[in-house]
Amino acid sequence: MRSRAWLASAVLALLLVPALPAAPVPGPPLGGAPLGIRLEALPLADVAQPVEAMLPRPAGSLVHTTFLYGPHVVPQGWDLDRYALALPFETGFVTKLAFRLQDAATGEVPTNLQVHIHHALWFGAATGTLSPPFIFGTGEERTQIDLASRAAAAPHGPLYGIPFMQDQAQVLVLMLHNKQTVPRVVTILLDVEFVYGTAPQVADARRCRDPLRALPVDDIDGCVAGRDVHGVRGGLWGDIFDVPRQPQGDGVFTYPLDGIYNRYGPADYGLPVPTYYGFFTPRLLNASFLVPEDATLVFAQGHLHPNGMATIVANLGPDGSGCDADLDGDGLPGTTLFRSDKLDRNPAAWPYSEDFQMGVTKPGFRAPLRAGDRLAQFGLYANREVATYQAMTFAAIQMDPAQAPGPRGPGCARSDFAPRVVDAPGMDATATVPNRAWDGPELALCDVPGSPACNAPVPPPAPGLDSPPAVAIAQFAYAPGDANLAGALGLPPVVHAGRGLTFVNVDTAAVVRHTVTSCAWPCNGAYTANYPRPDGVFDSDRLGNLDVLDGGSIPPDPHDDPLWGTPADLPPGFYSYFCRLHPTMRGAFEVVP
């Protein structure tokens, strides 16, 4: 019955937009009804190819190489998950890696306001378990991992690397988010530093050149023959939630202590919620991580969305130990291990900016972990001025089981949990540092010193259509109510108090999701790295969400329905809104008595 309702509203809404210019339908041909979806319209798997072949080399050889994914055709507006398979590694260790995105034709790097990697999660194949091992992950902040610098901080210690076996099965889950109304063809580049050989082979090697093989002098970039190499194990956990705006609050929302808000209503999952090693667990999203074995934590990073402030991870000790008390006096349970701060390129834009990176642990950071320890995660978001929908807090860690700490003493002595900096004793080990140099042009901002105002003053607009049956979200426009449209379609429609305004995402037929998210009137400025911002009055969620890995379903269930209505209790006045996925889209309506 519900699906018939939204389809009828869509037909009525389409009657209002006959003058919209035609736009090419993104992706493969679509069949069926006007709003039908064919599975071949969804993203396919891709196979990674090395820019240059990884030739067999002697153990201990260190090389820099690049893997290329794509080219990917990212249709206009798409932000769906896709997969890349089978990175052709030899046996050895990855000691550095970084993702890059570039235009397939020009080689130019698009900005986060155009198209970006929303997330990239790299896993190995599962072996006798439901949890494939986590290798590495990043998002729009483009975090890089550098285990070589961690080893350099302790020159007499081991090298660290992510271990690989030749032809090891792997999968990369990634989302490319095209915010533009034109298709983009892009490639993803993965730069890696790689050490050949197993740990025993590297340790036993005495040279990196085989005299029986005729290799050019520049065949390798370094030699670590004879070094002790430790393979690290990865872990990833986190959650997705809404951050309500609270103008009268303290300005900081702390997940999960302030509750977990989502489309199913507020929930308090308690603290902690144990999970297990890996990512695909019985409960994918969790506030805490159960350490699988004794190990030393050598690298850690956090992940937030643009309105985030910090991801903090604390060790609560084993369940029932009592070590979840605030042992270090920072106001959070347990002993804080690290605080991954969101670092804005222009600090004046903090905390809301898409031009940011996340802090990572210092090169000399080390923290003792023991089997059964619970690592709790706290995500901090600013929420006095802005709401955040589908907010994330994730933590990714790399652990060295070969450097197991000694037995823990009785009780909950902070010294048994606290991190340290091996090359700078006494330094605050919980503070993080930038993970990469800033590159590319600084993104445009508004309402910060030296930048224009976000909003342009406008007189109250003339009334638009009275009580339209629906607003169609079609071809990246809201009709009626989009100021970029001509005539009555460009004026805010009139809604009478006590009634809602219905929206239907017609672009679902092109596998494009949209939102209807309120922003402070008039919300008419250019899209910048810190604007527009949700003001917390209403949000539709992603209408027509077909991405099953991102909470969607085929066909859409009620929470992914292309149909949505504004709250019926909005007081009289003008309301403006935008699409969180395509922020250049803007619309407005007026509520009258």
Side-chain angles (χ1 to χ4, degrees), residues 537-553:
V537 176
F538 56 78
D539 178 74
S540 65
D541 205 343
R542 294 156 298 181
L543 301 179
N545 183 16
L546 303 178
D547 189 341
V548 294
L549 276 184
D550 197 27
S553 59

Side-chain angles (χ1 to χ4, degrees), residues 9 15 27 43 62 125 160 320 350 378-379 391-392 400 404 418 445 451 455 468 527-529:
S9 296
L15 295 177
L62 182 148
Y160 300 111
W350 186 89
F378 307 96
M392 287 186 177
D400 178 15
L445 297 168
S451 68
N455 282 313
Y527 172 37
T528 67

Side-chain angles (χ1 to χ4, degrees), residues 27-28 38-46 72-75 78-83 174-176 511 546-549 554:
R38 286 175 55 182
L39 290 181
E40 53 263 46
L42 299 180
L44 303 176
D46 298 291
H72 294 285
V73 177
V74 190
W78 273 37
D79 66 323
L80 302 181
D81 283 286
R82 60 185 71 205
Y83 317 92
L174 57 93
M175 176 188 285
L176 298 179
V511 200
L546 303 178
D547 189 341
V548 294
L549 276 184
I554 302 175

Side-chain angles (χ1 to χ4, degrees), residues 96-108:
K96 295 181 182 180
L97 63 88
F99 284 94
R100 293 184 286 133
L101 186 71
Q102 67 181 31
D103 186 279
T106 67
E108 295 178 353

